[in-house]
């Protein structure tokens, strides 16, 4: 049994407990997924307090809808769909479009580029790393919504193409195309820096 299958099975057991009336069991799902949802919401909602509000609202919606969860998809796929829709609704309610400006430097911690980039300790290397992270965050924030969601789920949530297709409710080929276009935009920005 793969790690994902094992996690899906555990999640399904917890969901069944919640559906039987065990309110405390839902806390386990909140603890497990709250940080992942925050990473997912961040490209839409840049203010930390608003991110937390959207994540909390997503969990509230999931809790209310959990009696209707049938297990046709993985729980986290279902939850991510709720979070994406909640983010969109939040932006609509705020009469704002998805952000088109630079990501706040304080938010950069959500987009860790990996430990390899942190091994260089010279001031020049640190500056170059910071500039690359800022460029990547800026490009991601400026991507059209469907590209932003696809690249975020793939690169930051490590979801498979099939899982992303399920979350985004589109064919796998479309997911591959969106991820390719997002990576291409990021690569072009990094090449311009280098």
């Amino acid at each position: 049994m793969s790690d994902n299958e094992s996690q899906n099975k555990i999640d399904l057991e917890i969901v069944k407990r919640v559906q039987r009336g065990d309110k405390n069991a839902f806390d386990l799902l909140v603890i497990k997924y709250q940080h992942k949802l925050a990473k997912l919401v961040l490209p839409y909602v840049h203010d930390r307090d608003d991110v937390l509000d959207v994540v909390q609202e997503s969990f509230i919606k999931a809790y209310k809808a959990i009696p209707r969860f049938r297990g046709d998809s993985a729980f986290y796929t279902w939850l991510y769909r709720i979070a994406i829709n909640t983010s969109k609704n939040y932006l609509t309610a705020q009469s704002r479009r998805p952000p088109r400006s630079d990501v706040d430097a304080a938010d950069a911690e959500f987009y860790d580029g990996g430990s390899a980039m942190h091994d260089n300790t010279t001031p020049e290397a640190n500056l170059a790393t910071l500039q690359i992270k800022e460029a990547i965050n800026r490009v991601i924030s400026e991507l059209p919504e469907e590209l932003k969601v696809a690249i975020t789920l793939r690169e930051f949530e490590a979801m498979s193409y099939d899982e992303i297709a399920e979350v985004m409710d589109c064919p796998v080929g479309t997911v591959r195309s969106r991820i390719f276009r997002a990576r291409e935009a990021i690569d072009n920005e990094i090449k311009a820096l280098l």
Side-chain angles (χ1 to χ4, degrees):
M1 183 179 290
S2 77
D3 224 16
N4 275 346
E5 290 170 338
S6 176
Q7 289 301 316
N8 292 343
K9 188 175 180 180
I10 291 168
D11 287 352
L12 191 55
E13 289 303 315
I14 295 171
V15 166
K16 287 178 182 175
R17 286 176 49 194
V18 176
Q19 289 173 333
R20 288 191 300 261
D22 183 353
K23 295 178 181 179
N24 293 328
F26 193 75
D27 293 344
L28 299 172
L29 297 170
V30 171
I31 292 166
K32 182 175 182 179
Y33 291 113
Q34 63 187 351
H35 296 295
K36 287 185 176 189
L37 285 190
K39 288 180 186 179
L40 181 71
V41 168
L42 187 61
Y44 295 94
V45 183
H46 288 283
D47 181 77
R48 282 188 189 278
D49 293 331
D50 291 344
V51 167
L52 296 176
D53 288 345
V54 170
V55 169
Q56 182 178 15
E57 186 176 342
S58 299
F59 279 117
I60 291 169
K61 287 180 179 180
Y63 184 77
K64 289 178 179 177
I66 210 162
R68 296 185 304 278
F69 179 75
R70 298 182 313 266
D72 296 338
S73 63
F75 174 77
Y76 67 87
T77 302
W78 180 76
L79 182 62
Y80 282 10
R81 247 190 225 151
I82 291 172
I84 289 170
N85 289 335
T86 304
S87 298
K88 291 177 188 176
N89 292 343
Y90 169 82
L91 291 173
T92 301
Q94 297 296 316
S95 299
R96 290 189 270 171
R97 296 181 53 185
R100 287 260 187 240
S101 60
D102 291 346
V103 173
D104 186 346
D107 294 332
E109 70 183 3
F110 287 106
Y111 293 105
D112 189 356
S115 61
M117 293 182 78
H118 299 291
D119 292 340
N120 302 320
T121 56
T122 66
E124 293 84 8
N126 288 338
L127 178 61
T129 300
L130 179 62
Q131 288 173 335
I132 290 171
K133 280 185 173 182
E134 288 175 350
I136 290 170
N137 289 336
R138 184 180 64 253
V139 170
I140 290 173
S141 72
E142 293 173 351
L143 288 172
E145 181 180 324
E146 66 275 359
L147 302 185
K148 185 187 314 183
V149 171
I151 195 74
T152 300
L153 293 177
R154 180 68 180 165
E155 298 301 332
F156 302 117
E157 298 300 324
M159 290 178 121
S160 71
Y161 289 105
D162 290 332
E163 291 169 329
I164 297 169
E166 192 173 338
V167 167
M168 297 186 74
D169 196 26
C170 66
V172 173
T174 303
V175 169
R176 290 183 190 279
S177 171
R178 289 174 179 173
I179 291 171
F180 174 80
R181 291 186 351 231
R183 286 179 177 158
E184 188 174 48
I186 293 167
D187 288 345
N188 290 339
E189 185 69 23
I190 292 173
K191 285 177 188 173
L193 283 176
L194 303 176

